[in-house]
Amino acid sequence: MYTKQEVLDYVEEEDVKFIRLAFFDVTGKQKNISIMSNQLARAFKDGISFDASAVTGFEDPDKSDLFLHPDPATLSVLPWRPNTGKVVRMFCNIQNPDGTPYKKDCRTLLQNAVKKAKDECNVSFYIGSEIEFYLFKTDEDGKSTKVPFDQGSYMDIAPADKGENIRRDICFTLEQMGITPEASHHEEGPGQNEIDFHYSDPLSAADNVSTFKMIVSTRAASNGLYADFSPKPLSDKAGSGMHINISCSDESKMPNVLAGILTHIKDFTYYLNPTENSYERLGCCKAPKYICWGKENRSTLIRVPATKDGTRFEIRTPDPECNPYIAFALVINAAIDGIKNNMQPPKEVTDNLFTTSAAFDILPINLTKAKELAEKSKFVQEILGN
């Protein structure tokens, strides 16, 4: 956790030449501006301006000046860049010219949710993510061929699993950038992999997801492969999810948290599953569609794992295409509503919902329906505005 002065000292002492100022459009796609080290003091003091009209979902050309303000706590060296003339990266918050937070800055949105939980409920949340992705071979232009890198299956080992060396490189790079991976393994699909993170505060967790996707894509490309984070890249194989593990500082509030998320998740599914392809994944290959929960039950939307403390649960519907900042902010706000209104969860489900007909409410069946529900939702509008 660096201060501004510590970052300035580090840049001078460690031969840092370039600073990447990273931010996100509304879809969660990472953007960046590179500045020279002699511009860093100005960036901290005044911010670095950019054209908001050129960023998806931001502003029109008639009022398009916004400013990036780097967060010194997020300083990280890019270890694949040269040691001489180092390159570092910091995530930024976005401000208007008058210094007020920009309303579409997703990092600010998540920071507001974290503050609201503390101010209104006196609780903190912790989040860990499990992210699945496919590795595909590439053609002569470096584009994906949709031919899997291997034909391995769940938790296979080499030689069936050809991705272990790449996962090893990814985990080492994550550690060098201050992120703690917990586990990695081959997933069910051919060429499909998963890497799980240690839990952290929500903002760090979202930053870690964004860093992770960049590292995976970079390491895959350096090995002549394409990393695919789409929810259902192969129609007849397992889809890729981004499971969200959440816990609360006050364990007694976990039933309320569970109930709040189940109550509101239908309204904000659009932000957890933001592409047409997302809905090809839900409802098959252990990707749930029914709005319910169960202990150790991977056919339910929320699973309470068989841990010794029993103080966390896993939301199984989100996929890697979502904007993690918006997704985490909506989940936290749903949890806050559950706590404030003392919501209680329904009875747990013990059936396998992939083989048993169920009478539970279901998630939206396509992106159009999900968008309609989000647009009509007072809950979503209160958090995200118009």
Side-chain angles (χ1 to χ4, degrees):
M1 300 293 289
Y2 297 98
T3 65
K4 292 179 182 179
Q5 188 57 52
E6 286 172 336
V7 171
L8 289 168
D9 292 342
Y10 178 87
V11 166
E12 182 177 354
E13 295 168 2
E14 297 296 326
D15 189 31
V16 174
K17 294 300 183 185
F18 297 93
I19 296 98
R20 288 189 183 178
L21 303 182
F23 65 104
F24 303 90
D25 66 17
V26 294
T27 69
K29 184 177 181 180
Q30 187 174 155
K31 306 284 187 177
N32 84 136
I33 297 173
S34 288
I35 61 172
M36 302 297 290
S37 58
N38 60 6
Q39 297 299 306
L40 181 56
R42 180 171 71 90
F44 280 137
K45 182 177 182 292
D46 300 320
I48 299 296
S49 65
F50 70 98
D51 178 7
S53 68
V55 179
T56 300
F58 277 16
E59 298 301 306
D60 294 326
D62 56 319
K63 197 173 183 180
S64 58
D65 285 346
L66 292 174
F67 290 81
L68 298 176
H69 290 263
D71 180 352
T74 64
L75 176 72
S76 186
V77 176
L78 301 186
W80 58 86
R81 303 298 294 164
N83 285 327
T84 301
K86 291 185 177 72
V87 180
V88 300
R89 181 225 61 204
M90 282 183 284
F91 290 119
C92 298
N93 284 71
I94 306 173
Q95 294 182 6
N96 296 305
D98 62 3
T100 57
Y102 178 54
K103 64 183 178 180
K104 294 180 184 178
D105 177 20
C106 54
R107 286 189 95 245
T108 297
L109 182 74
L110 180 53
Q111 289 167 325
N112 291 341
V114 170
K115 185 177 186 299
K116 181 179 178 182
K118 194 66 176 178
D119 292 347
E120 298 185 9
C121 301
N122 195 32
V123 298
S124 300
F125 292 100
Y126 308 96
I127 290 176
S129 299
E130 304 170 13
I131 304 175
E132 298 165 339
F133 59 95
Y134 274 81
L135 292 175
F136 291 122
K137 297 178 181 179
T138 56
D139 61 20
E140 60 274 11
D141 296 321
K143 296 180 180 179
S144 174
T145 62
K146 294 295 184 181
V147 176
F149 181 47
D150 62 40
Q151 293 299 316
S153 58
Y154 187 61
M155 289 195 173
D156 275 351
I157 62 173
D161 172 18
K162 293 182 179 180
E164 61 178 18
N165 287 335
I166 297 174
R167 293 197 305 273
R168 177 177 178 272
D169 287 347
I170 291 168
C171 288
F172 280 160
T173 306
L174 287 168
E175 285 190 319
Q176 289 176 301
M177 296 185 72
I179 301 172
T180 306
E182 280 196 331
S184 66
H185 59 86
H186 200 287
E187 257 297 337
E188 290 188 39
Q192 189 183 31
N193 300 264
E194 176 178 308
I195 296 178
D196 306 337
F197 300 123
H198 188 65
Y199 70 86
S200 60
D201 68 275
L203 185 63
S204 295
D207 286 343
N208 290 348
V209 169
S210 300
T211 301
F212 169 81
K213 292 176 71 174
M214 176 185 68
I215 291 171
V216 171
S217 296
T218 300
R219 288 307 191 201
S222 67
N223 283 274
L225 300 170
Y226 179 81
D228 192 313
F229 290 97
S230 63
K232 194 76 169 176
L234 300 175
S235 60
D236 59 340
K237 303 297 181 183
S240 293
M242 189 191 84
H243 301 160
I244 298 173
N245 292 276
I246 186 169
S247 60
C248 180
S249 58
D250 185 345
E251 297 174 9
S252 69
K253 303 298 185 185
M254 286 300 281
N256 308 132
V257 172
L258 175 60
I261 293 171
L262 287 176
T263 297
H264 293 293
I265 197 166
K266 190 173 183 178
D267 282 357
F268 63 83
T269 292
Y270 178 73
Y271 299 95
L272 303 183
N273 307 102
T275 69
E276 291 286 1
N277 188 240
S278 299
Y279 299 85
E280 297 174 21
R281 166 181 167 262
L282 297 177
C284 64
C285 299
K286 292 189 286 189
K289 68 176 181 179
Y290 294 105
I291 302 175
C292 55
W293 73 281
K295 295 177 181 176
E296 307 176 41
N297 192 340
R298 284 179 166 81
S299 70
T300 57
L301 189 152
I302 293 179
R303 177 179 72 97
V304 178
T307 56
K308 289 184 178 180
D309 54 17
T311 57
R312 69 174 174 90
F313 57 76
E314 174 190 65
I315 307 170
R316 296 180 54 77
T317 55
D319 64 58
E321 293 281 23
C322 76
N323 181 328
Y325 301 92
I326 294 177
F328 295 171
L330 288 164
V331 165
I332 289 171
N333 274 281
I336 291 170
D337 196 42
I339 293 172
K340 292 175 68 174
N341 291 289
N342 194 29
M343 294 181 183
Q344 297 300 315
K347 183 180 178 181
E348 70 168 288
V349 173
T350 58
D351 295 332
N352 178 355
L353 298 181
F354 297 119
T355 60
T356 305
S357 59
F360 303 105
D361 196 9
I362 64 171
L363 294 169
I365 60 173
N366 55 45
L367 187 64
T368 300
K369 183 61 178 177
K371 184 178 180 182
E372 289 174 357
L373 290 171
E375 288 175 338
K376 294 177 182 177
S377 171
K378 292 182 179 179
F379 170 80
V380 171
Q381 191 169 60
E382 286 175 0
I383 299 162
L384 302 183
N386 293 321

